[in-house]
Amino acid sequence: MERPPAPRPQAQSPGGPAGGPPAGEDNPWHTGAACRRDEVGLFFAPSKEPTAARLSREEQAKRVCARCPVLLECREHALAQPEPYGVWGGLTAAERRVVLARRRRRDAELREAARVAAAGSRRIAG
């Protein structure tokens, strides 16, 4: 069962990439988010939601995300937190877990390749 975190910010005056100055300290990235104009319930699972209803709701949320000017910022926020619930940046919680696992695996492979390269260069120089 997923519980929704604090609700996403509700609609305010336009700002950010969608209709105002660029995002920054005075105007955070989420001010231009498409989801600010949609129902929070679309992005977070109600308790004991049937699978078919969840999949349908998630697809609707992803369609909102697909047209969002801050999709990548939202996704990176959700991956950095990491956000355990809801649809963020066009990804469900399960999809974000997969992305994070792939990133960890890639980072481990890069560290190992750097270690091997450093060991090889020490042999050549020594």
Side-chain angles (χ1 to χ4, degrees):
M1 173 172 68
E2 292 191 6
R3 66 161 178 76
R8 289 185 177 194
Q10 294 302 308
Q12 296 176 357
S13 60
E25 245 178 74
D26 294 338
N27 191 15
W29 64 264
H30 52 77
T31 61
C35 63
R36 292 173 63 88
R37 296 176 290 282
D38 288 288
E39 194 63 36
V40 164
L42 188 61
F43 297 91
F44 297 100
S47 147
K48 299 181 183 179
E49 181 179 35
T51 301
R54 177 182 54 81
L55 293 172
S56 175
R57 180 188 48 74
E58 288 174 346
E59 282 306 311
Q60 290 175 331
K62 287 178 177 188
R63 282 195 292 276
V64 172
C65 293
R67 69 174 197 267
C68 185
V70 295
L71 177 126
L72 295 178
E73 293 90 338
C74 180
R75 181 176 295 170
E76 287 307 316
H77 162 82
L79 293 167
Q81 287 307 310
E83 292 288 351
Y85 306 105
V87 175
W88 289 80
L91 298 176
T92 65
E95 291 165 336
R96 290 191 303 277
R97 285 190 294 273
V98 169
V99 169
L100 288 170
R102 286 180 181 158
R103 284 184 178 182
R104 283 190 298 271
R105 206 170 25 252
R106 182 199 64 210
D107 290 347
E109 290 169 358
L110 290 172
R111 282 191 303 275
E112 177 61 15
R115 188 191 66 75
V116 168
S121 65
R122 281 194 300 267
R123 264 190 238 126
I124 293 170

